Amino acid sequence: MADRTTDDENSSNASASPDGPSANVPPLSQDALFNALSSRRSRYILHNLRSEETPLTLADIVDTVAAWETDKSIDLVSDEHRHNVSMSLQHTQLPKLAMAGLVQYDEERELVDRGVHADQADAYLDIAVARDDAVPKDD
């Protein structure tokens, strides 16, 4: 898991993680958390970020989400489906998660990292992932 440091400590490491408004987001309410987690794609993004070294590229997240939701190897997922996932993540899921402080999303560099409130989603993600056969389980 990535090291979580303060903004002052991150200023010298700005090229290694996404820049974004996550540090300025308000506290996350339970309703906002459940709203953000209501989308399977959002849950897949958050689970992928916590199980890999971050930040991740948008392309890597698209491939992972597309493979998990079709329950196929990425080589077997159609280009059309990958494109649909990409558009959904860029225009809906990632901005929504960023506004809630669950991710940091740098649109220009296409990098995604865990946000300031990401830890609040972990217990709920554990339950959701345990019930989803398409997601590989961490043993």
Side-chain angles (χ1 to χ4, degrees), residues 5-87:
T5 56
T6 65
D7 288 339
D8 292 336
E9 292 168 331
N10 277 338
S11 62
S12 64
N13 200 16
S15 63
S17 66
D19 297 325
S22 294
N24 298 323
V25 295
L28 184 63
S29 71
Q30 186 173 10
D31 287 343
L33 176 61
F34 286 153
N35 184 37
L37 295 176
S38 67
S39 164
R40 183 170 68 172
R41 286 183 177 167
S42 290
R43 294 190 302 271
Y44 284 175
I45 292 166
L46 294 171
H47 178 65
N48 188 212
L49 287 171
R50 73 181 185 154
S51 62
E52 299 287 334
E53 279 202 35
T54 56
L56 295 176
T57 65
L58 177 61
D60 287 340
I61 293 174
V62 167
D63 284 352
T64 300
V65 170
W68 286 351
E69 73 181 15
T70 60
D71 201 14
K72 297 179 182 176
S73 161
I74 193 58
D75 299 342
L76 300 175
V77 177
S78 72
D79 289 340
E80 179 182 358
H81 185 75
R82 289 177 64 219
H83 176 75
N84 290 340
V85 169
S86 180
M87 291 297 102

Side-chain angles (χ1 to χ4, degrees), residues 64-114:
T64 300
V65 170
W68 286 351
E69 73 181 15
T70 60
D71 201 14
K72 297 179 182 176
S73 161
I74 193 58
D75 299 342
L76 300 175
V77 177
S78 72
D79 289 340
E80 179 182 358
H81 185 75
R82 289 177 64 219
H83 176 75
N84 290 340
V85 169
S86 180
M87 291 297 102
S88 171
L89 299 191
Q90 288 180 65
H91 298 292
T92 305
Q93 305 308 321
L94 289 170
K96 181 178 180 178
L97 292 172
M99 288 191 60
L102 294 169
V103 303
Q104 290 182 333
Y105 175 42
D106 183 333
E107 291 181 63
E108 288 182 23
R109 297 185 331 199
E110 296 188 342
L111 292 175
V112 184
D113 202 347
R114 286 173 53 96

